Structure formats: structure tokens, C-alpha cells
Amino acid sequence: MRIPSTQALRALDSFARHGSVWRAADELHLTRSAVSHQLRLLERDLGFDLLQRIGKGVALTPRGQRYAADVRKALTVLGDAGAQTNGAGVGGSFAISCPPGFASMFLCTHIGEFQQMYPDVALSVLTPRRLDDVSNPDADAFIAFGVGNWPNRAVELLCEVHFTPLCSPTLLNKVGGFSKPADVLRANLLHLSDTEDWARWLALSKVENPDTEGGIFFSDMNLVFSAAVAGQGIAMGDELTGRRALSEGRLVKPFEASVPSPRSYFLVFEHAKAGHPVLNAFSDWLRAKLSENRL
């Protein structure tokens, strides 16, 4: 039997300790549906039921309780091993350049964990003028949003992006809901720099002759999300950077349809820095966090 994913095991452990999906979701910074999905996947991998319905709720089966206890012991052992070895021999200054939206809505919500793991690293987070800019001489590495074309640099894919409309519950109630994709045109469209993402989603949704030139344009994704949360319009966002606002109910996703972006997030650095201990440590940690936060 293949070893279940760490995220699924953490979901089980959290559910076993708290006794509810919503408390586990809050602890893991995931949606309730994401926690439920992880538990169902774990049941499928194991081949036996972990959960049973009791009244209107769910609880662990006796076999699920025994397995959860074993998982807790295993996670404790792994945590202790990490505490003993993490950060050993890794130190010095390290500057990472990162797009403002990714930095504020994802990286900065987890970065304290990296500092705990590597307390001897003096980490700096810088933001570029353009999402694909890798020219800052003060940066040791870059998280860049682009098509992957940075000549004479090492380029590693971090994650692909799918965009979908996101808006505040207040706006959704104000306009009476969105029953079909064309209804988004009844609200202000919030754009990051250009109309490309909205045009592609509306085309995918078969909205005929949409006017995407209206609305409000911003130069920073933080501003787009701030306007969306404040009910000023509907944004084209992704669930990675929007996850916290979605889980807290400040934003909602009125449609399931999403459109793949032609651009992705990449880790970019000079070839000479390959193998640098801090870069390797940061890269491994970042990939693990991104993996944990995928639904």
C-alpha cells in the first residue's frame, strides 16, 4: 500500500483531536470541503472507513480511532526529528524577490514557519515593479510570475494558476446573485493591469460580445483583492492567493469554472547559486507549503 499524503494524515489528526471538520479546517487554514476531501482520499487509500455518521454529525469509527492514534505518534516522531535536524548548518542572509500579491496573501502568512526552522537565516522579502522582473541585484532568488522565459537563469516551476471570479458576499447579495456567467457584467470588473484574464474567462464561459474595457484597473493584486473584499466589484483571482479570504468568508466563488493562466509562478535564480544551502532550504520549504495548500 502506498503511503498516504502528509496533508491527509494531518487532516485526520486534526479531526481526531478537535472532533469536527470546521475546527480542523480552521487549524490547518483550509476550507471545510478541503478537509473532507482529504479524509475521503485517505479512506480510499486505506481501504476502510474512518468516519461514521452519528445524528447530524460525523465521528471516527473504532478502527479510525486506532489508526488516528498511530498517525499521531508517527507525526510526533517526524516533528521531533525535524526539530533536531532543521536548520543545522544553514545560516546567513538571504533575500527573495516576490510579487506583492503572492507575498502578502501567501508567503507572508506562512513565512514565520521558515524562520522557526532556520533561525540563523536573516531573511528579506523584496517586491519587484513587474511580476516577471528578475533584475534586482539585491535579490538572491526570485519568485516570478511569467511564461518561464528568463535566459541565462535557472528556472523551476512552482505552481500553475487558474483564475476564477471572486467577490464579496455583500456584492453578491447586492446584485441578487449571479445565475449565469454573463451576470458578472452587472458589477464592476476589477482588473490587474489589463483585461486579458477577464476576456479569457468570459470567452471560456461562452459570453457573447462582452465589454471588458470597463471597470477599474489596478497595478497591484493587493489592491484588486482589497476592492473586491470591500464590495467594489468582482475580481479575477486564483484560489492560492485568495484562499485565506475565501476560508474566512470575506470572498466567495460564485462559479466553478476557472481558466488556466498562460503564466505561472517560477523560482528563478542565477546558475551560480544552485546548491546554495539557504536557497535549497527555502525552495524545499516553499514547495512543501504550496503542496499543502493545493486542494
Side-chain angles (χ1 to χ4, degrees):
M1 184 186 70
R2 71 185 184 90
I3 299 175
S5 74
T6 303
Q7 185 172 356
L9 295 176
R10 290 181 62 204
L12 174 63
D13 175 60
S14 185
F15 176 82
R17 287 185 286 105
H18 295 295
S20 73
V21 170
W22 72 268
R23 287 186 182 276
D26 184 61
E27 178 180 74
L28 299 174
H29 302 295
L30 296 172
T31 62
R32 299 179 194 181
S33 62
V35 172
S36 297
H37 179 64
Q38 290 297 329
L39 293 174
R40 288 195 298 272
L41 290 179
L42 185 56
E43 285 184 320
R44 185 193 68 186
D45 288 345
L46 295 173
F48 60 83
D49 291 335
L50 293 169
L51 305 176
Q52 60 185 342
R53 283 215 163 268
I54 298 181
K56 294 183 178 180
V58 292
L60 290 174
T61 62
R63 190 173 182 182
Q65 292 175 353
R66 293 193 297 272
Y67 184 74
D70 289 338
V71 166
R72 182 60 181 165
K73 294 175 184 176
L75 291 176
T76 299
V77 170
L78 289 173
D80 290 344
Q84 293 172 12
T85 60
N86 276 341
V90 178
S93 62
F94 184 76
I96 181 75
S97 174
C98 181
F102 187 97
S104 65
M105 290 180 276
F106 180 80
L107 183 62
C108 291
T109 64
H110 300 289
I111 198 64
E113 178 183 300
F114 178 81
Q115 194 68 66
Q116 285 183 326
M117 294 171 64
Y118 301 97
D120 294 328
V121 174
L123 185 67
S124 300
V125 179
L126 315 173
T127 55
R129 291 186 177 182
R130 298 190 323 275
L131 302 182
D132 61 351
D133 183 12
V134 296
S135 63
N136 189 343
D138 295 327
D140 295 298
F142 303 82
I143 297 171
F145 189 61
V147 296
N149 183 26
W150 289 279
N152 304 317
R153 301 282 183 118
V155 179
E156 299 178 2
L157 177 66
L158 289 174
C159 64
E160 297 176 336
V161 172
H162 286 71
F163 285 117
T164 190
L166 302 177
C167 67
S168 72
T170 301
L171 177 71
L172 198 63
N173 293 331
K174 181 179 178 180
V175 301
F178 299 119
S179 60
K180 58 184 183 299
D183 289 344
V184 300
L185 300 174
R186 294 193 277 116
N188 282 326
L189 299 185
L190 306 178
H191 305 282
L192 177 62
S193 301
D194 56 44
T195 64
E196 176 188 348
D197 296 328
W198 267 115
R200 294 178 69 250
W201 186 85
L202 290 165
L204 175 74
S205 302
K206 296 180 171 55
V207 177
E208 296 183 359
N209 302 317
D211 178 14
T212 59
E213 297 302 320
I216 308 170
F217 293 79
F218 300 89
S219 62
D220 188 316
M221 196 62 195
N222 286 307
L223 303 178
V224 176
F225 270 69
S226 293
V229 168
Q232 303 305 298
I234 182 166
M236 186 58 63
D238 68 276
E239 291 189 55
L240 176 67
T241 55
R243 183 178 307 281
R244 177 161 296 225
L246 285 165
S247 66
E248 293 174 351
R250 292 183 290 124
L251 289 176
V252 295
K253 185 175 67 169
F255 300 100
E256 287 300 320
S258 63
V259 59
S261 171
R263 294 170 290 179
S264 303
Y265 286 107
F266 294 87
L267 183 66
V268 184
F269 52 91
E270 295 178 0
H271 290 288
K273 294 185 182 293
H276 190 286
V278 181
L279 175 58
N280 289 344
F282 182 82
S283 175
D284 290 345
W285 170 81
L286 180 60
R287 291 180 187 282
K289 296 311 297 182
L290 288 169
S291 179
E292 287 178 12
N293 281 269
R294 290 192 185 100
L295 292 181

